[in-house]
Amino acid sequence: MSRMTKANILTLYQQSLCPYCIKTRKAIKRLDLKITMKDVGFSGKVRQELIKGGGKSQVPCLRIEGKNQATQWLYESADIIRYLESLKSASA
Ligand SMILES: N[C@@H](CCC(=O)N[C@@H](CS)C(=O)NCC(=O)O)C(=O)O
């Protein structure tokens, strides 16, 4: 079950040893956000879910499920971190 952050449900698709995922996980820890992690390395099902939803298997990818909007799949660690920082500053 994904956790709620404001109105959106956030899930990070990632892999344990990927440096871009490590950088993203560090930012999540620094920002003290509770986000569900899905490791694509341990399960073909999770990887297929990512490809089907986001269009490619690249990690990290942040799935953003909003109440009244289509699900977004945000790739690129720098863009994900920028998005998370903006959430955090909006809630401060
Ligand atoms: N510019 C991307 C690079 C991400 C990247 O290269 N991820 C690798 C793992 S370290 C990957 O998912 N490669 C497999 C693929 O693209 O399907 C970022 O900063 O997030």
Side-chain angles (χ1 to χ4, degrees):
M1 178 71 180
S2 299
R3 292 193 172 94
M4 295 291 293
T5 299
K6 292 213 138 203
N8 293 329
I9 302 173
L10 305 177
T11 308
L12 187 74
Y13 288 74
Q14 48 90 40
Q15 203 159 19
S16 57
L17 297 178
C18 156
Y20 306 98
C21 301
I22 293 171
K23 184 175 82 167
T24 306
R25 290 199 305 269
K26 274 188 185 164
I28 289 171
K29 196 168 177 192
R30 173 172 56 83
L31 295 166
D32 195 25
L33 294 167
K34 306 287 179 230
I35 294 176
T36 298
M37 303 285 167
K38 285 198 172 188
D39 196 315
V40 299
F42 290 127
S43 161
K45 186 171 161 268
V46 174
R47 189 176 287 274
Q48 285 313 309
E49 199 177 286
L50 172 60
I51 296 168
K52 192 174 174 207
K56 54 184 178 177
S57 63
Q58 183 180 298
V59 287
C61 177
L62 185 69
R63 187 176 79 196
I64 307 165
E65 293 171 272
K67 268 187 186 166
N68 302 314
Q69 67 195 46
T71 297
Q72 291 175 55
W73 298 77
L74 182 61
Y75 289 92
E76 292 298 327
S77 52
D79 293 342
I80 294 171
I81 293 168
R82 199 172 306 119
Y83 172 80
L84 295 174
E85 284 173 343
S86 74
L87 272 189
K88 192 70 184 185
S89 56
S91 73

Short mmCIF file of all heavy atoms in Angstrom, two decimals, residues 15 17-21 23-24 47 56-60 75-78 80, ligand 1:
data_model
loop_
_atom_site.label_atom_id
_atom_site.label_comp_id
_atom_site.label_asym_id
_atom_site.label_seq_id
_atom_site.Cartn_x
_atom_site.Cartn_y
_atom_site.Cartn_z
N GLN A 15 16.07 0.61 -7.82
CA GLN A 15 16.87 -0.60 -7.73
C GLN A 15 17.97 -0.32 -6.70
O GLN A 15 18.49 0.79 -6.66
CB GLN A 15 17.49 -0.90 -9.09
CG GLN A 15 17.86 -2.34 -9.28
CD GLN A 15 17.97 -2.68 -10.75
OE1 GLN A 15 18.11 -1.79 -11.60
NE2 GLN A 15 17.91 -3.96 -11.08
N LEU A 17 21.25 -0.95 -6.15
CA LEU A 17 22.61 -0.49 -6.41
C LEU A 17 22.73 0.60 -7.48
O LEU A 17 23.83 1.05 -7.78
CB LEU A 17 23.50 -1.68 -6.80
CG LEU A 17 23.67 -2.74 -5.70
CD1 LEU A 17 24.52 -3.90 -6.21
CD2 LEU A 17 24.27 -2.15 -4.44
N CYS A 18 21.63 1.04 -8.02
CA CYS A 18 21.66 2.09 -9.05
C CYS A 18 22.04 3.43 -8.39
O CYS A 18 21.39 3.87 -7.44
CB CYS A 18 20.27 2.18 -9.68
SG CYS A 18 19.90 3.76 -10.43
N PRO A 19 23.12 4.08 -8.85
CA PRO A 19 23.58 5.32 -8.20
C PRO A 19 22.53 6.45 -8.23
O PRO A 19 22.46 7.24 -7.29
CB PRO A 19 24.83 5.71 -9.01
CG PRO A 19 24.78 4.91 -10.26
CD PRO A 19 23.98 3.68 -9.97
N TYR A 20 21.74 6.51 -9.28
CA TYR A 20 20.71 7.55 -9.38
C TYR A 20 19.59 7.29 -8.37
O TYR A 20 18.98 8.21 -7.83
CB TYR A 20 20.14 7.62 -10.80
CG TYR A 20 21.22 7.79 -11.83
CD1 TYR A 20 21.72 6.68 -12.53
CD2 TYR A 20 21.78 9.03 -12.08
CE1 TYR A 20 22.74 6.82 -13.46
CE2 TYR A 20 22.80 9.19 -13.00
CZ TYR A 20 23.28 8.08 -13.69
OH TYR A 20 24.30 8.22 -14.60
N CYS A 21 19.36 5.99 -8.10
CA CYS A 21 18.34 5.61 -7.11
C CYS A 21 18.86 5.90 -5.71
O CYS A 21 18.11 6.37 -4.85
CB CYS A 21 18.01 4.12 -7.23
SG CYS A 21 17.39 3.69 -8.86
N LYS A 23 20.97 8.22 -4.91
CA LYS A 23 20.89 9.69 -4.75
C LYS A 23 19.45 10.11 -4.42
O LYS A 23 19.21 10.94 -3.54
CB LYS A 23 21.34 10.33 -6.08
CG LYS A 23 21.42 11.82 -6.07
CD LYS A 23 21.98 12.37 -7.38
CE LYS A 23 20.92 12.44 -8.47
NZ LYS A 23 21.32 13.23 -9.64
N THR A 24 18.49 9.50 -5.10
CA THR A 24 17.08 9.84 -4.87
C THR A 24 16.63 9.38 -3.48
O THR A 24 15.93 10.12 -2.77
CB THR A 24 16.20 9.20 -5.97
OG1 THR A 24 16.72 9.58 -7.25
CG2 THR A 24 14.75 9.66 -5.87
N ARG A 47 8.86 -4.61 -12.59
CA ARG A 47 9.46 -4.02 -13.78
C ARG A 47 8.41 -3.86 -14.89
O ARG A 47 8.34 -2.84 -15.57
CB ARG A 47 10.64 -4.88 -14.28
CG ARG A 47 11.45 -4.23 -15.37
CD ARG A 47 12.65 -5.08 -15.74
NE ARG A 47 13.69 -5.06 -14.73
CZ ARG A 47 14.64 -4.13 -14.66
NH1 ARG A 47 14.69 -3.16 -15.54
NH2 ARG A 47 15.55 -4.17 -13.72
N LYS A 56 8.95 3.01 -20.03
CA LYS A 56 10.30 2.48 -20.12
C LYS A 56 10.75 1.93 -18.77
O LYS A 56 10.16 2.26 -17.74
CB LYS A 56 11.29 3.52 -20.66
CG LYS A 56 11.33 4.82 -19.92
CD LYS A 56 12.27 5.82 -20.59
CE LYS A 56 12.24 7.15 -19.84
NZ LYS A 56 13.17 8.13 -20.40
N SER A 57 11.83 1.13 -18.80
CA SER A 57 12.25 0.42 -17.57
C SER A 57 13.26 1.20 -16.75
O SER A 57 13.74 0.71 -15.73
CB SER A 57 12.84 -0.94 -17.94
OG SER A 57 14.01 -0.75 -18.72
N GLN A 58 13.59 2.41 -17.18
CA GLN A 58 14.62 3.20 -16.47
C GLN A 58 14.20 3.53 -15.04
O GLN A 58 13.04 3.87 -14.78
CB GLN A 58 14.87 4.50 -17.24
CG GLN A 58 15.95 5.38 -16.63
CD GLN A 58 16.15 6.65 -17.46
OE1 GLN A 58 16.52 6.60 -18.62
NE2 GLN A 58 15.86 7.78 -16.86
N VAL A 59 15.15 3.39 -14.12
CA VAL A 59 14.93 3.79 -12.74
C VAL A 59 15.94 4.86 -12.36
O VAL A 59 17.03 4.91 -12.95
CB VAL A 59 15.03 2.57 -11.78
CG1 VAL A 59 13.84 1.68 -11.89
CG2 VAL A 59 16.35 1.80 -11.97
N PRO A 60 15.65 5.74 -11.40
CA PRO A 60 14.41 5.78 -10.65
C PRO A 60 13.25 6.40 -11.45
O PRO A 60 13.46 7.16 -12.39
CB PRO A 60 14.77 6.68 -9.47
CG PRO A 60 15.79 7.62 -10.03
CD PRO A 60 16.59 6.80 -11.00
N TYR A 75 10.38 10.42 -14.56
CA TYR A 75 11.72 9.85 -14.67
C TYR A 75 12.75 10.95 -14.40
O TYR A 75 12.40 12.12 -14.31
CB TYR A 75 11.95 9.29 -16.08
CG TYR A 75 11.16 8.01 -16.37
CD1 TYR A 75 9.90 8.07 -16.96
CD2 TYR A 75 11.70 6.77 -16.07
CE1 TYR A 75 9.19 6.90 -17.24
CE2 TYR A 75 10.99 5.60 -16.34
CZ TYR A 75 9.74 5.68 -16.93
OH TYR A 75 9.04 4.53 -17.20
N GLU A 76 14.00 10.57 -14.30
CA GLU A 76 15.15 11.45 -14.09
C GLU A 76 15.27 11.85 -12.62
O GLU A 76 14.44 12.62 -12.09
CB GLU A 76 15.10 12.71 -14.98
CG GLU A 76 15.26 12.41 -16.47
CD GLU A 76 16.62 11.77 -16.80
OE1 GLU A 76 17.64 12.09 -16.14
OE2 GLU A 76 16.67 10.94 -17.72
N SER A 77 16.36 11.38 -12.01
CA SER A 77 16.56 11.62 -10.58
C SER A 77 16.52 13.11 -10.23
O SER A 77 15.91 13.50 -9.22
CB SER A 77 17.89 10.99 -10.13
OG SER A 77 18.95 11.41 -10.95
N ALA A 78 17.13 13.96 -11.06
CA ALA A 78 17.16 15.40 -10.75
C ALA A 78 15.73 15.98 -10.74
O ALA A 78 15.38 16.79 -9.88
CB ALA A 78 18.03 16.15 -11.75
N ILE A 80 12.95 14.23 -10.22
CA ILE A 80 12.22 13.64 -9.08
C ILE A 80 12.57 14.40 -7.80
O ILE A 80 11.68 14.79 -7.03
CB ILE A 80 12.59 12.14 -8.93
CG1 ILE A 80 12.09 11.36 -10.15
CG2 ILE A 80 12.01 11.57 -7.63
CD1 ILE A 80 12.59 9.92 -10.22
N1 LIG B 1 19.63 10.29 -16.08
C1 LIG B 1 18.95 9.23 -15.36
C2 LIG B 1 19.80 7.97 -15.42
C3 LIG B 1 19.07 6.75 -14.84
C4 LIG B 1 19.76 5.47 -15.24
O1 LIG B 1 20.69 5.44 -16.06
N2 LIG B 1 19.28 4.35 -14.67
C5 LIG B 1 19.77 3.05 -15.02
C6 LIG B 1 20.15 2.25 -13.76
S1 LIG B 1 21.51 2.98 -12.91
C7 LIG B 1 18.67 2.26 -15.72
O2 LIG B 1 17.53 2.26 -15.29
N3 LIG B 1 19.03 1.54 -16.80
C8 LIG B 1 18.13 0.60 -17.42
C9 LIG B 1 17.15 1.21 -18.37
O3 LIG B 1 17.31 2.40 -18.74
O4 LIG B 1 16.22 0.51 -18.75
C10 LIG B 1 18.65 9.69 -13.94
O5 LIG B 1 19.36 10.60 -13.44
O6 LIG B 1 17.70 9.20 -13.32
#
